[in-house]
Amino acid sequence: CFTGMAYMMETIASWNSPLVVVQLLGFALLGGMPLGTLVLGIAQSVLVVWFSHPLVSIYNNEATVIEAGAVRLAVVASTYVIFGVADVFVGAIRGYGAPIAPVIINLLGTCAFRLVWIGLLDTSRVPVEWVYLSYPISWMLILLALIPCWVHLRRKEARRHV
């Protein structure tokens, strides 16, 4: 649901707009998209964490399973907004005509980083929360890699339209 709203936030700015690409993407990213994504994401994260026990109990009624699911939701759902903001930058980068860079950044940040993270953990000694931390850390790494990519493309496009 949240990722769908993040995609919606990307497209709203392009409806019936006479702006050129650099103006449109600059307005969208410096304007309402990250803010809207943050507000919606934080609101949904709070609701999911708040109602984590009833939500997990939809799938299983065992108290230990519900508690484990609530712990996972506390770590993952509370930080999912980072991924939503990163997804907005993915759309903006694709809008500049560079679809491969966000795919590579996402693959490295999601798959490669998490595999290395899990490989380096001694799962017999650390709690499962350390495994869950790979999600928000990887999302932050993805976001930190996407922002300079977007800045570079924005400057390149701005020079082209001067």
Side-chain angles (χ1 to χ4, degrees):
C1 180
F2 175 68
T3 304
M5 281 194 248
Y7 282 120
M8 181 185 73
M9 297 299 286
E10 294 172 8
T11 60
I12 289 173
S14 66
W15 296 340
N16 301 320
S17 178
L19 300 174
V20 295
V21 172
V22 70
Q23 293 169 324
L24 181 64
L25 290 174
F27 166 77
L29 275 175
L30 298 176
M33 279 193 306
L35 181 60
T37 302
L38 279 171
V39 169
L40 290 173
I42 290 169
Q44 286 184 343
S45 293
V46 167
L47 287 172
V48 168
V49 172
W50 188 286
F51 294 107
S52 61
H53 286 83
L55 287 171
V56 176
S57 70
I58 292 171
Y59 300 101
N60 196 309
N61 289 324
E62 281 187 49
T64 54
V65 173
I66 293 171
E67 190 55 39
V71 168
R72 184 180 185 280
L73 281 176
V75 174
V76 176
S78 66
T79 57
Y80 194 68
V81 67
I82 299 167
F83 182 68
V85 173
D87 219 20
V88 170
F89 279 94
V90 166
I93 292 167
R94 291 177 63 208
Y96 280 124
I100 302 300
V103 170
I104 292 170
I105 290 169
N106 270 311
L107 281 173
L108 290 174
T110 303
C111 300
F113 170 77
R114 290 182 191 167
L115 286 172
V116 169
W117 177 269
I118 302 298
L120 292 175
L121 285 180
D122 181 1
T123 54
S124 66
R125 293 187 175 186
V126 297
V128 72
E129 289 85 354
W130 280 86
V131 175
Y132 300 155
L133 284 174
S134 68
Y135 287 89
I137 293 170
S138 68
W139 295 331
M140 186 56 74
L141 290 174
I142 290 168
L143 180 60
L144 292 174
L146 289 169
I147 290 173
C149 183
W150 174 78
V151 168
H152 169 74
L153 291 170
R154 177 173 163 73
R155 288 179 180 161
K156 182 177 168 184
E157 188 71 23
R159 284 190 301 269
R160 206 176 71 136
H161 283 90
V162 172

